[in-house]
Amino acid sequence: MAISAAVVILPLGVLFFISGLVVNLIQAVCFALIRPFSKNTYRRINRAVAELLWLELVWLVDWWAGVKIQLFTDPETFHLMGKEHALVVSNHRSDIDWLVGWVLAQRSGCLGSALAVMKKSSKVLPVIGWSMWFSEYLFLERSWAKDENTLKTGLLRLKDFPQPFWLALFVEGTRFTKAKLLAAQEYAASTGLPVPRNVLIPRTKGFVAAVSHMRSFVPAIYDVTAAIPKSSPPPTMLRLFKGQSSVVHVHLKRHMMKDLPETDEAVTQWCRDMFVAKDALLDKHLAADTFDNQEQQDIGRPLKSLVVVSSWACLLVMGTLKFLQWSSLLSSWKGIAFSAFGLAIVTVVMHILIRFSQSEHSTPAKVAPMKPKSSGELSDSGQHKQQ
């Protein structure tokens, strides 16, 4: 991490880290004292508490970097967003796709109950991973034999969720890069699948399981396609912390869960067809530099995240001044060294979080050039969990 970037990231990191630990502590207390007696009460409280942390990242997008997210969808779908349970299936184009989803969830009023299927290592990330665990995110390993039952249990656990939630699945299994696209194209060519141009081949087992177990209580699938206009640099976490803007176009199509086919094989094919359609849609976006087949909706830029971050900052400054006055921490070399060590830890943690989000460090998709099974499912050797 460059020194100039660290100068900007360090104060933001201190704010996020300390406020995040406060949120984690509240979540832990509620988990221990409230959840054993009333799971729904715990979920309602946690929804509000987690939002206090996630709003800091929404602020980073909206107010610090000024990223412009443009949503293209029909008015009926726009009206229903945040008012129903939904399975959100998106391509994985940039390092901040998950943050784009959070911004849309915040606009829809369900940021605190926006969930995702994540790789298992995510839950050990300081602050953010811990908060995800308390919020009932689903964490999987890269082995379907281990993950099948974990996924089923986690999905069914959401059946009695008291408020509208979104569950995000990135069924490509990894973030899009040119190298991964070449691997996917080689795999498709060797197995007779449609050769992708703008997406990766979906790993469908997680999607099939989600549809199978959630069909009775989740009414809709949100088919999300994200694209970056030619005139905009790709957004990254590092660019966000530096305050550098980008533009992200988001196309959202709503499918009724009841309209999906019944058999696993047919659902698998439905998922693949959805990504073939995404590929064609991205071709059109590349040509027109917009999603001109849907109306652009005004999602605005609410003040809520700005108010929350300003409040956290005031509390942090006042608390720090009181602590320094009480402890005289900076009056000795030992205290100064201790403070410097603490700041170094925050810098390292923020570096880990930024590196974790970067697509070049994500796990590449494995490609095994073999014939697909008769059911149309990809082989287990090429199967990845959603990340």
Side-chain angles (χ1 to χ4, degrees), residues 158-173:
L158 299 176
K159 190 171 185 177
D160 60 350
F161 208 90
Q163 295 163 300
F165 69 81
W166 291 0
L167 178 67
L169 286 174
F170 291 105
V171 298
E172 289 166 297

Side-chain angles (χ1 to χ4, degrees), residues 126-144:
V127 175
I128 190 170
W130 303 338
S131 190
M132 287 176 173
W133 186 86
F134 284 119
S135 299
E136 300 183 74
Y137 279 58
L138 278 63
F139 298 98
L140 303 181
E141 300 181 43
R142 293 195 178 275
S143 168
W144 183 247

Side-chain angles (χ1 to χ4, degrees), residues 332-354:
S332 67
W333 285 109
K334 185 180 293 185
I336 293 173
F338 179 79
S339 301
F341 179 71
L343 292 176
I345 290 177
V346 173
T347 303
V348 170
V349 169
M350 296 308 294
H351 176 71
I352 291 172
L353 292 176
I354 291 171

Side-chain angles (χ1 to χ4, degrees), residues 146-218:
K146 298 178 181 179
D147 291 334
E148 184 175 11
N149 189 60
T150 302
L151 184 59
K152 176 182 177 180
T153 302
L155 293 171
L156 293 178
R157 191 170 60 233
L158 299 176
K159 190 171 185 177
D160 60 350
F161 208 90
Q163 295 163 300
F165 69 81
W166 291 0
L167 178 67
L169 286 174
F170 291 105
V171 298
E172 289 166 297
T174 185
R175 280 156 283 190
F176 182 95
T177 65
K178 290 183 178 179
K180 293 169 188 175
L181 176 61
L182 287 174
Q185 289 173 333
E186 291 175 6
Y187 183 88
S190 68
T191 57
L193 294 172
V195 177
R197 301 170 300 280
N198 310 289
V199 295
L200 305 180
I201 299 171
R203 271 62 182 172
T204 57
K205 283 186 175 180
F207 177 79
V208 171
V211 171
S212 173
H213 299 305
M214 301 174 76
R215 190 190 290 268
S216 64
F217 62 94
V218 174

